Amino acid sequence: MSIHTSPVPDRRTSVVPMVSWQSAWSTERILVLLALGIFLIYGTFRAFENNLYDTTRVTTAFANGVVPHYLSPFYSPPIQNWFSLPFGLSAALFLLIFPGSFRFTCYFCRRTYYRAIFGTPPACAAREVLQRSRYTGEREFPWTLQNLHRYTLYFILIFVAFHWIHLFEALRFKDATGATRFGIGVGTLVFGLDTLFLSLYVFSCHSFRHLIGGVLDRFSASPLRHRLWVGVSHLNERHGLYFWLSLITVGLADFYVRSVCAGWITDLHVLF
Ligand code: FES
């Protein structure tokens, strides 16, 4: 009788069997490349387009004479209403620098593109696949610039506040007589999703968690901050999910406004 035994992994040469995670890694890589690529191309196109971002600026009449107050999140805060921008440049070209740098330096996003695009490191305790470079962490330039994340957080909190303002504005409609009415449209719901997921994404941020309670030496001296920190820590467990949901819904909100402004779709709404 022969006895079969499983081969014992050689600990000197292999930490994790490569075949076990490589196919999953390839699938994730393709999905991430697709999602980030589509968003980057669409966002760049919209930033340069400089048009069809505000339903109150549309000159062609809406089908039933009712004008919603929808402003694309790519053009918020509405600096185009406050200043005249040099050379007629698009406001979104300036504005997208802030959410763009915030997302690009996000801990979750970094992990995602290090793994999916650079392949270095591909995963925890896994050998490098592409072997293009030696992973050194973020101790060297330009990766030290990732530390900007904690500062971009302050700017993005302003953006979140404006998303809430625009959500409340999306409850106002100008009817055919020119009177302002309270109402709810499909656009209001789209803005609601965008604002909700952006808030969850920002308030689950690792830097925000540190700001709320991580800087304290003793929680016992600040029970309120401790409670907030516990709440933020719970949100933080799903930070990656909120990253993707907020990315999708912010793109969707802009696309919805563009579609209404272009006359591709009619905004369905009820007025009270
Ligand atoms: Fe992801 Fe701060 S860590 S937004």
Side-chain angles (χ1 to χ4, degrees):
M1 188 176 79
S2 65
I3 299 171
H4 295 280
T5 56
S6 303
V8 178
D10 183 350
R11 290 192 190 160
R12 291 165 304 175
T13 56
S14 168
V15 178
V16 174
M18 291 187 71
V19 284
S20 64
W21 54 267
Q22 266 193 344
S23 59
W25 176 71
S26 301
T27 311
E28 182 190 339
R29 189 174 190 216
I30 290 167
L31 289 176
V32 167
L33 281 171
L34 262 180
L36 293 182
I38 289 171
F39 188 84
L40 208 65
I41 292 168
Y42 178 74
T44 308
F45 161 70
R46 285 292 285 146
F48 279 98
E49 188 178 28
N50 200 15
N51 195 13
L52 304 174
Y53 56 81
D54 184 348
T55 52
T56 62
R57 288 184 174 216
V58 173
T59 48
T60 50
F62 284 92
N64 51 8
V66 176
V67 182
H69 282 76
Y70 299 154
L71 175 69
S72 160
F74 289 3
Y75 287 80
S76 167
I79 56 170
Q80 61 279 359
N81 296 346
W82 306 336
F83 317 105
S84 63
L85 293 156
F87 313 113
L89 283 174
S90 158
L93 282 176
F94 296 101
L95 294 168
L96 289 179
I97 291 170
F98 297 97
S101 54
F102 181 70
R103 281 191 185 267
F104 190 76
T105 57
C106 161
Y107 290 24
F108 172 79
C109 189
R110 273 142 75 172
R111 188 203 76 161
T112 304
Y113 62 72
Y114 287 167
R115 289 183 180 187
I117 298 176
F118 303 151
T120 173
C124 296
R127 276 188 285 147
E128 303 257 336
V129 175
L130 301 181
Q131 301 290 349
R132 276 203 299 256
S133 63
R134 188 175 52 84
Y135 179 65
T136 57
E138 293 170 334
R139 289 169 293 146
E140 294 172 8
F141 185 83
W143 307 115
T144 45
L145 292 177
Q146 303 281 30
N147 288 318
L148 283 176
H149 188 68
R150 70 192 71 169
Y151 304 108
T152 55
L153 169 69
Y154 296 111
F155 291 99
I156 218 67
L157 289 171
I158 299 171
F159 280 64
V160 173
F162 271 95
H163 273 243
W164 281 96
I165 291 171
H166 298 315
L167 173 60
F168 286 110
E169 283 180 348
L171 293 165
R172 289 192 302 133
F173 293 77
K174 199 187 282 183
D175 71 13
T177 67
T180 299
R181 306 259 304 270
F182 172 75
I184 295 178
V186 174
T188 317
L189 301 178
V190 172
F191 275 38
L193 284 179
D194 165 45
T195 306
L196 172 70
F197 288 127
L198 181 72
S199 304
L200 288 171
Y201 171 54
V202 173
F203 295 134
S204 63
C205 165
H206 296 266
S207 294
F208 185 70
R209 181 169 173 262
H210 179 75
L211 190 68
I212 290 293
V215 290
L216 297 177
D217 290 332
R218 285 182 304 118
F219 276 131
S220 56
S222 308
L224 176 63
R225 287 183 70 175
H226 179 242
R227 274 204 293 277
L228 286 172
W229 180 82
V230 170
V232 171
S233 300
H234 283 310
L235 289 181
N236 182 261
E237 289 167 15
R238 293 192 169 78
H239 186 62
L241 176 68
Y242 300 141
F243 171 86
W244 288 116
L245 288 175
S246 64
L247 193 76
I248 292 167
T249 49
V250 76
L252 182 68
D254 174 80
F255 186 70
Y256 186 84
V257 174
R258 193 189 187 286
S259 303
V260 171
C261 290
W264 293 346
I265 54 174
T266 303
D267 180 59
L268 299 176
H269 46 253
V270 282
L271 302 186
F272 302 98

